[in-house]
Amino acid sequence: MTARNLRSLTWRALEQFLGGIAEPMPRDTLARTRLIGLGQAIGDAHYPPDTAGADQARRRLAFDEIMAFQMAILGRRRHRERDVAGTAVQYSGAAVDGFLSELPFTPTKAQVRCIGEALSDMARGTPPMSRLLQGEVGSGKTLVALTAILAAASDHRQSALMAPTEVLAEQHFVTVGRLLGTRPFTVGLLTGSTRAAPRREVLRLASEGHLDLLVGTHALIQDGVELPNLALAITDEQHRFGVAQRTALRGAGPEQPHALMMSATPIPRTLQLTLYGDLDVSTIDELPPGRQDILTRLVPEDKRQAAYRFIRQQVEAGRQAFIICPLVEESENLDVRAATEEHQRLSNEVFPDLNLGLLHGRLSSRQKDQVMRQFRDGDLNVLVATAVVEVGIDVPNATVMMIDGADRFGLAQLHQFRGRVGRGEHRSYCLLMSEAESERARERLSALEASGDGFKLAEIDLQMRHEGDIFGTTQSGDQTMLRIASVFDQDLMALARQEAAAILDADPELTDPKHAGIVAERDRFLARVQDNISD
C-alpha cells in the first residue's frame, strides 16, 4: 500500500460517498456558529484547498466531536435533575456539630465548605447528590465523606463506601473505627478476602438495616449485598471504577441514593466543566496545618549510586522506600518484565541484604494486596513497583520515593507518586531519576521540584500534554476520548456547550426531527467512550 495508492483510494472514496454524508447539525446551529458543512469539512480535511481551508475543516470536525460529548453530559445532568427522585436526609445538626467539635484537630476552611456543600445536597433530596470531591493526598477528603456518612446515620440511613483495593478499604475501615469508635455507629467490611462466616454476618446485618456503613471493594456490588436504607454511595479514587460499577453501587438500594465520588488526582479547573459538566465539584484546596513538604530533587544518572546509598541510610534508620520503575510505552507486558528484571537486579546487586517486594499490574488483586500489606506492616524494606502503586497504599514509615525514568510520566502522576510518602512524622524525599536531555522534559520535572501544589501542577501538565494523562492512563493523550478535538480548543468547548444547552432548552426530549442527526452523533460517541464518561 504505497502513499500514492492510498491517496488514489481516498480520492475515489470521497468522490463516491461524500455526497451521501448527511448533515447532522441543525441549520440554525450552523448559522450561529458560522461553521462549514460536514461534507465540505470531510473533503477539505483530506484535500484542503489551502491552510485556512484545512483549519476550517478541522474546526468543524472538532466541534462535532465536542458537541456530541456536551450533549451527552448535559443531557445526563438534566435527566437526573428532572426525572430522578432522591432521598431527603433529615440529619441531626447536633450529631454532626458534636462530631466535628470533638475531633482531635480543627477541620480546614475548605473541609468545612465541602462538608456544607455535601450536606446541603443530601438535605435537598431531589435531585440526588452527584458530586465529585477532589483534593490532594492528605487534604482530608475522608473527613468530608465521614461527616456525610454520619449525617445519613443520624437519620437512620445507610451508606456504602467502595475502594479500588482491599488495602485501601481496610484503611477506611480502620479510620472510621478510630474517628467514630466512641459513637453508637456500626460499620462492616466486605472484600474478596472476607471469610465465609464473617461475610454471612456482615450481609445479614446490612440487609436487616443494622449497619450504618458498609466499606468494601468490588464485593459491594456483587449479588447478595442488600442495603435497604441506602442513602449515600461513595466511591474512592473514582476514576479506577467504570461507569457500570459506580452505577451498580448507587443501585444497591431501592431508592436512588446520593453519590459522592472522591479523587486525589487534581483536575485542572479548565477541564472541570468540560469533562465533569454532569457533576457538581467540591474542591479541598488547602492542606491541614503541619503537613510537611516533601523534599524533591532531580537526580542525574551519574548520581544513581548516591541515591541508592541514601535509600540504604533511610532503611538503616528504620524507614522504608519505594522505587518506581520506568514506564515502557509499548505495552503493560514490557512494563512488568522491566519491573521484574529491575527487582532481581536490585535484590542481587544493590540491596542483597534487604527485603524487597515487587508490585505490578499483572499480579492478581489478592497478590497485590498481599504485597501492599507486607510493605505496610514493615516486612519489606523497599517496594519496587510500576505505576500501579499510584494510589491505595498508606505507609507512614515510608520516607523515600525514587522514580526511575521520571520524564516518562506525566506531572499529575508524578505528584501522585510523591504523595505516597510524607504521610508520617519523618522527613520525606522524592528522587526524580532521569536521563532525558530535552528542554521540555527538564521543564516539567523542574516544575515538580519547585511546587507541591497539585492543582497548579495539573494546569502545567495540561498545557504540556493532553487530557488523556490527567489520570495517568496514557502517555500523551494518544488514547483520549477526543480524536480530533483537544482540551486546548477552549473556544470550541464553550461554543459547543452553549449550543448543546440551547438545543436541550428548546427540545428537552430531543424529539424534533431536525435534532435526529445530533442525537445519532451523541449515541455513536457514547458507544465509543461510554466507560470514560462520569456517571
Side-chain angles (χ1 to χ4, degrees), residues 299-372:
V299 183
E301 184 59 29
D302 60 4
K303 299 291 186 184
R304 176 176 291 275
Q305 294 306 315
Y308 288 149
R309 287 195 296 273
F310 180 72
I311 289 175
R312 180 176 290 280
Q313 290 170 4
Q314 289 289 302
V315 170
E316 289 172 351
R319 310 284 83 80
Q320 293 164 278
F322 294 93
I323 297 179
I324 305 299
C325 294
L327 188 67
V328 181
E329 296 184 35
E330 287 82 358
S331 74
E332 184 185 27
N333 286 333
L334 293 178
D335 281 346
V336 170
R337 189 175 74 189
T340 303
E341 291 173 357
E342 181 66 358
H343 175 260
Q344 290 174 343
R345 186 186 74 81
L346 291 170
S347 298
N348 296 332
E349 301 174 18
V350 183
F351 304 116
D353 53 328
L354 303 183
N355 293 323
L356 273 66
L358 175 63
L359 190 67
H360 58 68
R362 288 293 178 187
L363 297 176
S364 68
S365 296
R366 187 159 293 185
Q367 289 171 319
K368 289 177 191 172
D369 281 312
Q370 182 181 2
V371 173
M372 287 193 286

Side-chain angles (χ1 to χ4, degrees), residues 49-242:
D50 49 36
T51 304
D55 289 343
Q56 278 192 316
R58 183 202 168 275
R59 183 174 175 81
R60 169 59 206 267
L61 297 175
F63 176 84
D64 281 25
E65 195 171 37
I66 299 170
M67 183 73 166
F69 181 53
Q70 292 297 327
M71 289 290 291
I73 61 174
L74 287 180
R76 188 188 297 266
R77 181 175 189 129
R78 292 185 182 211
H79 163 71
R80 186 180 76 242
E81 292 176 346
R82 185 184 66 232
D83 303 328
V84 178
T87 303
V89 177
Q90 305 299 322
Y91 65 89
S92 165
V96 170
D97 293 342
F99 165 64
L100 293 175
S101 65
E102 293 170 12
L103 289 170
F105 54 87
T106 302
T108 64
K109 291 179 180 178
Q111 284 176 309
V112 172
R113 183 186 71 248
C114 293
I115 288 169
E117 290 168 349
L119 296 187
S120 176
D121 286 354
M122 293 168 64
R124 179 192 63 213
T126 298
M129 174 170 67
S130 201
R131 184 170 289 278
L132 175 70
L133 173 64
Q134 60 167 352
E136 298 269 16
V137 170
S139 63
K141 296 182 296 297
T142 303
L143 176 63
V144 177
L146 200 50
T147 306
I149 290 166
L150 183 65
S154 73
D155 192 29
H156 309 291
R157 299 283 186 170
Q158 295 174 291
S159 300
L161 196 167
M162 185 165 69
T165 67
E166 291 191 5
V167 167
L168 192 51
E170 289 172 5
Q171 286 175 192
H172 283 306
F173 181 73
V174 170
T175 300
V176 170
R178 186 178 75 246
L179 293 179
L180 294 179
T182 60
R183 295 178 171 274
F185 185 90
T186 54
V187 56
L189 177 66
L190 188 66
T191 70
S193 298
T194 305
R195 296 185 180 277
R199 177 183 175 84
R200 283 194 298 271
E201 180 65 8
V202 167
L203 291 178
R204 182 186 67 79
L205 290 170
S207 65
E208 293 176 359
H210 297 318
L211 276 187
D212 295 314
L213 170 65
L214 183 56
V215 180
T217 54
H218 300 78
L220 295 187
I221 55 177
Q222 293 173 353
D223 290 340
V225 180
E226 295 180 16
L227 293 161
N229 300 318
L230 183 65
L232 178 62
I234 301 172
T235 48
D236 193 13
E237 298 302 340
Q238 60 87 22
H239 62 281
R240 293 302 177 98
F241 296 104

